[in-house]
Amino acid sequence: MNRTVTDEEKNEVGIVVDSSSEDVPAHSLPAPKIGLLEKMRGYEDALDRKLGVEGHSIQRRLPETKDPFYAGWSGQLSMFGFWMGGCMNLSSFATGFIGSELGLDLRQSILIIVFGSVAGAAVTGWCATMGAPTGLRQVAICRYSLGWYPAKAIAILNVIQEIGWCASGSITGGQALSAFSDGKVGTELGVIICSVASLVFSFFGLTACYRFMKYTWVIFLIMFLVIMGEIASFGDLAAPPSATGPTGSGAALTFFCIVYGSSACCAGYVSDFYVEYPVKTPKILVFLLTFLGLLIPTSICAISGAIAASALPYNEEWNEQYNVGIGFLIQTMVHPYGLAKLILFLLMFTAVGLNCASMYSASLSIQLSTRRLAVVPRFVWTLVCFAAIVALSLAGSDRLLVFLQDFLSLLGYYATAVFVCLVTEHYAFRGGSFDNYNLEAWDKPEMLPAGYAGGPALVCGIIGAILGMATTWYTGVLGRLIGDSGGDIGNELCLVFTLPVYVLARFAERKLLGR
């Protein structure tokens, strides 16, 4: 039988009784004060429970808390579909035009697209293997090599390039929607529509992005294979390059840098999409599915763009429509007319595939940049990124190729530096085993490298990139030595500058600090 404990008995065992409010009605007691951030976190938790918006954000995913969907064969194959759906888009198609703009012929452009995509996809594919064993986002993983503070720079660069990718996706998606409506919907309105659609999927988190790609990549693949089949016979393999000799070599180096950057750029955040996979997921499987998921769509789309670009000089109708917008060009190239309209409508959703994953990861990178920003719910940063994407898309909607050329070439530089540091740390200093990582220390600066190696190595890599870069707005002192227009060797110099500095400085850092 239960017995009521008296106040005297409570005091005997050390329980303090506050009798001042015993007779005060509960409704008259003052309500505890709740700040704005606490309210937003409460809303996020409620949305997570009801709609699954992923409230845990940047926290490490422990083996016992991972989503079982990713453990099955269907979930693992989704890695391939995720990248196929995200990279099979008009931005990749438009990238293929840049080779012709630089003075390369079709054969040169195709070879560079293939080999540049192989190199970039290999870099991102290797970095992807770190997500499942650690359960950490890529910026958090970078802390184990670069250090706490230098990793913040990677987070900031991630945000910049992911917003840029989303902007290019929104621009091309908006142009497709404008062509679908025969100009009744302007490109600007199309940009906003694509951005809003992307926001919906990124708002609900990683699972929503995966499920969107899982069911759409096959449609996107068929669509671009149809486009390639329709325009293949128009490709001009006989036309000579307009850039020859050293100038042609410089153009080839610049185009390689652009194509490489379009795939390698994901190295700074690729593990964001793999934290839910089981710890024991085979690394070779992760690498191959990621590598092929990047290589195949990038090559198909960019080669299709290169073929179309080679036909513009002798096809006045195509050239005229291309100057109006890339969506109108596709409408002219594809027959019958009804099929062209269907493809244009579906092309808008390829922009959603590109944007939703990038917008999701950008919000995580913001949270990982500093603890003060980490307390703000992810969905708030998703909305901030959305606003930035719309503004940038509207500003650059009439200069797509220049935007892509400058933007994509910049992406590869810091991705190369990140890759060099991660690979060197993993194999030279951690014995190639994740058992040598203290995964509990991911958010404890005092237990992570101080950054005495990662910081200088990153700075030296960027200096090398600046010396060797060649863009429309700046050409480095070494890059301008190649031909009349310069050649981009920023990635090569970034690698050469980063590797020795990191190795030597990291040896010294470990000897002095022991971490």
Side-chain angles (χ1 to χ4, degrees), residues 252-273:
L253 287 167
T254 298
F255 190 42
F256 180 89
C257 174
I258 292 168
V259 176
Y260 164 81
S262 69
S263 296
C265 65
C266 306
Y269 59 89
V270 61
S271 288
D272 293 3
F273 311 120

Side-chain angles (χ1 to χ4, degrees), residues 87-89 92-94 96 224 228 296-306:
C87 299
M88 191 80 69
N89 53 63
S92 298
F93 178 77
F224 273 100
M228 178 178 279
I296 294 173
T298 303
S299 298
I300 290 175
C301 294
I303 289 173
S304 298

Side-chain angles (χ1 to χ4, degrees), residues 142-150 425 429-430 445 447-457 501-515:
C142 288
R143 293 170 179 171
Y144 289 88
S145 54
L146 297 175
W148 179 266
Y149 290 102
E425 178 70 23
F429 299 103
R430 307 262 180 185
M447 301 175 68
L448 294 166
Y452 298 151
V501 172
Y502 184 80
V503 171
L504 295 174
R506 188 72 177 109
F507 269 117
E509 183 180 39
R510 286 171 64 89
K511 188 172 182 179
L512 292 173
L513 303 179
R515 55 187 171 96

